[in-house]
Every structure is written in C-alpha cells, then in structure tokens.
Amino acid sequence: MKGLEENSPVVPIQEIAEYVQNVRLRQIVGSLKLATKTLGLMKDLVSREPWNTAEELLTLIRGQGRFLAEALPHDIVVANTTRRVMKIVREEYDSSRVAHFDDGQSILSLHKLVTQAADPERDDYSKPMPGLKNALVDHLSEIETELETTGDSISAQAAEHIHSAELIMTIGYSRAVEKFLRKAAETRPIEVVVVECAPDCRGQQLAANLGRAKIQTTLISDAAIFAIMSRINKVIIGTHSVLANGGLQAVCGTYSLALSAKHFSVPVIVLAPTYKLTPVHLCNYEQGDFNILGNTEAVLPFKSLAARFTKAYNPLFDYVPPELVTLFITNNGSNAPSYIYRLIGELYHPDDNQL
C-alpha cells in the first residue's frame, strides 16, 4: 500500500514520546502494563488523530509503531500490540466492506474464502468507510477488557494441569506463575521448588510470596536444578516472549532448566498470554541482538582485583528451542508449540510483521 513501506523518520506525538521516556526510566514495568498502555495510545490515535480512510490510519499507526519498536526494541509486547491493532483495522474495514456490499452478511462464505485472493478490492484500504472509527473504538475497548482478564483466564486453567500432591518447579519471578500456583493451591495441596535465578535472585521474591500464601515452598540455587529434577512432576515457567517458531525468550537459566527437564522426561509448561506471541524469528544464534546484558557487580565487584583482568557477562535472557517445551497455556486455552504459528496468524497480518 502506498505510504506504508516508507522508511522516512517519523515524529512521534507527545503522548508516545512521554511513554517511551517513562519506560526507559522504569516508571512503567511489566509486560501487561506495557501492552495496556500501548493499546490505550493506539486507541487515542484512532479516536483523536485526523484520518479519512483505513489506509491513512494504517500509515499513521505503522509510523508511530515503528518509532516505538525502534525506541523500545527489547519490549516485544509494544510492537506486538501495534501489530494487533493494525490487524483489527484491516478486519473491521473488510467486515464493513462485506456488510456494505453483501446485504449485511459479514461472514465470508467458503467460496469467497477460496477465491478471495482474486478480489481486486481486498487489499485496497483507500476508500472511506462510514462507521469505521466507531467500530474500531468498540473493538479496541473489547481488547482492553481482554487484557484486564488475561491473568484470570490463565490461572483458571490451573486445576486442569496441576494435580494433588505434585511437586512443581519454576524459575525466577513471574506474576502469571505466582497467580497460577496460588489458584491451584486453593483446591489441592502442592509443593513448589523455586530456582532463585542468580545473580538477580528474583526467585527469592516468588518463594517469599508463595510462603505467605501457605504453599510449601523450597528455594534452591541454579546449580541444584539437575540434582533435584528427578523428583519433579512438572516445570511451570513464564516467558518474556514467544517467537514465531514456538521458541522462548525467557529469563536466563531457563535453557538449562528445560534441558534438565528433557533429560528426566519432565513436562515443561509455559504460561504465555497472547500479547507475548510475536511473529519474530531468532536470526542470530549468538544472541547479540536478542539479549540484554545486565550488571555483573553481584558476581564480580568492580573494585576487586580480578575485575581488572576479567571480562564478565550477565545476559538477562535465554533462547529455549520449541522442542524443549511441552505445552503453552494462553488466555485462550492450551496449545502445543507446533500450533503457535496458527495463533500468530490469527493475531497479526503478514504485512505487519515488519513495522
């Protein structure tokens, strides 16, 4: 489409520039908060900015979304939310066009689904469509409600996957995992082993929270994963993002955890809300662009003598290949890693994979 492939610099609106600054200052933290705030900004773009056709709106959203993606490259959910809004714009436009020309029947017949590639107007978004703005605002409001209930939708499935007296292992701190385990413990006794995830040791926070919830919890070091894995019934983890092939960008230490689970044939269950599914592939196995390097002070103090002669790296993420994952639990249900491509196809349009 005209104007959508241009790589000219985009001037962000004031709200988006302030949003980027707040994220960089860590005033907005957490995938859910980022997704919700990004969706709110995109909703404001739709309702407040001047546009006449879906093509103009897609160009506007793509420009602002590209700025966000370049300014916050490691916050994958920001780009994911932008892509989903663009898919909604396309869907609402196509639905309005079909309803306008097919006597209000917005559901495409099987014949039309087969022959839609031959429709010359299918990818033409340059025509004004009455009522499109109101339809988009209503649809985006529904997505906001979906985001608010994401945690409850995932935790509601806990009883299906965790059984009585099972020993569960997890790593680091994840709000989704904490809520999931709390929900399971309401109806049955469970025991949890939490890997502390050094050097940040965020697993200590999860262990403390579960302990206060009267859940029997054991905190172990990363080095003890393999030794205790033979006793574990299930591994339940969160993730930073789910890549297009079903692989994970997860907290550092998850790869060794998944390898240990595979060795002992322990199922690995990943809690992944749909806004974490991304149509991005791992293009560099050395993970230079994939990762973030954190502070190494906790491992090698800067003032120590060894620091003068040693290079230390503290990567924040691991890549976990899909063959090490048993099941994904999203807010829409449970799926195998091989089905992730289908979920991504339902969430995003192929033309929007590259903002």
Side-chain angles (χ1 to χ4, degrees):
M1 284 186 300
K2 182 180 178 181
L4 288 185
E5 288 76 25
E6 297 177 359
N7 292 320
S8 56
V10 176
V11 178
I13 62 174
Q14 182 180 355
E15 290 81 359
I16 287 183
E18 292 175 353
Y19 171 54
V20 170
Q21 183 70 7
N22 290 336
V23 174
R24 287 177 171 175
L25 294 174
R26 309 298 292 169
Q27 294 178 1
I28 302 177
V29 181
S31 297
L32 179 58
K33 291 182 179 178
L34 289 172
T36 303
K37 182 62 177 178
T38 304
L39 182 62
L41 289 172
M42 293 301 162
K43 185 178 177 182
D44 290 341
L45 277 181
V46 172
S47 60
R48 297 178 184 177
E49 295 296 316
W51 55 274
N52 296 315
T53 65
E55 184 175 19
E56 294 177 3
L57 178 59
L58 286 171
T59 303
L60 176 64
I61 294 175
R62 184 185 293 276
Q64 299 296 325
R66 183 186 298 130
F67 173 83
L68 284 171
E70 292 174 353
L72 306 170
H74 295 290
D75 293 310
I76 303 294
V77 295
V78 174
N80 290 346
T81 305
T82 303
R83 293 186 184 102
R84 187 166 187 193
V85 171
M86 295 179 72
K87 174 70 178 290
I88 291 171
V89 172
R90 298 174 190 272
E91 288 180 343
E92 289 295 338
Y93 179 87
D94 290 337
S95 297
S96 299
R97 184 173 64 85
V98 171
H100 182 69
F101 291 107
D102 289 358
D103 299 325
Q105 296 181 2
S106 61
I107 301 177
L108 292 172
S109 66
L110 180 60
H111 174 71
K112 289 179 181 177
L113 288 173
V114 175
T115 60
Q116 63 185 3
D119 185 357
E121 296 184 353
R122 177 163 181 81
D123 293 326
D124 181 14
Y125 299 97
S126 60
K127 295 182 178 179
M129 192 63 63
L132 179 60
K133 177 178 286 191
N134 292 334
L136 285 172
V137 171
D138 291 342
H139 198 152
L140 293 178
S141 297
E142 294 176 4
I143 301 299
E144 284 182 328
T145 304
E146 177 187 318
L147 286 178
E148 292 173 0
T149 59
T150 293
D152 294 333
S153 300
I154 292 178
S155 61
Q157 304 173 59
E160 303 173 15
H161 300 281
I162 298 179
H163 305 106
S164 181
E166 281 193 328
L167 186 59
I168 310 297
M169 178 178 281
T170 187
I171 184 170
Y173 178 76
S174 167
R175 292 183 181 88
V177 171
E178 180 183 350
K179 197 167 187 177
F180 194 82
L181 295 175
R182 281 173 175 263
K183 187 68 175 179
E186 290 178 0
T187 56
R188 62 207 62 191
I190 63 172
E191 184 177 349
V192 180
V193 175
V194 181
V195 181
E196 65 178 359
C197 194
D200 294 335
C201 298
R202 296 194 64 202
Q204 296 178 2
Q205 179 183 351
L206 177 60
N209 293 349
L210 294 178
R212 283 192 288 269
K214 308 301 181 184
I215 299 174
Q216 187 174 350
T217 307
T218 304
L219 182 69
I220 65 171
S221 68
D222 298 47
I225 292 176
F226 192 84
I228 201 173
M229 184 60 74
S230 59
R231 298 176 50 208
I232 302 299
N233 298 112
K234 288 185 179 74
V235 172
I236 299 178
I237 58 175
T239 183
H240 182 72
S241 64
V242 180
L243 305 182
N245 65 339
L248 305 180
Q249 182 185 13
V251 66
C252 192
T254 306
Y255 182 52
S256 59
L257 175 68
L259 283 175
S260 299
K262 182 179 179 65
H263 180 81
F264 289 101
S265 300
V266 176
V268 177
I269 298 175
V270 180
L271 308 184
T274 51
Y275 57 79
K276 291 189 176 183
L277 306 183
T278 181
V280 174
H281 291 269
L282 179 68
C283 57
N284 180 8
Y285 281 91
E286 294 182 356
Q287 304 183 12
D289 298 328
F290 173 87
N291 228 320
I292 306 175
L293 295 179
N295 193 341
T296 59
E297 175 71 17
V299 177
L300 187 67
F302 294 138
K303 294 182 179 180
S304 66
L305 181 63
R308 302 179 183 179
F309 313 101
T310 308
K311 288 185 178 180
Y313 297 93
N314 177 23
L316 298 188
F317 298 121
D318 266 349
Y319 170 68
V320 181
E323 54 267 23
L324 298 182
V325 178
T326 307
L327 189 69
F328 285 97
I329 300 179
T330 71
N331 43 301
N332 294 330
S334 305
N335 300 102
S338 59
Y339 196 76
I340 291 298
Y341 81 96
R342 179 65 182 271
L343 297 178
I344 289 176
E346 294 173 355
L347 288 171
Y348 315 118
H349 193 278
D351 292 345
D352 303 329
N353 289 351
Q354 185 68 37
L355 290 175

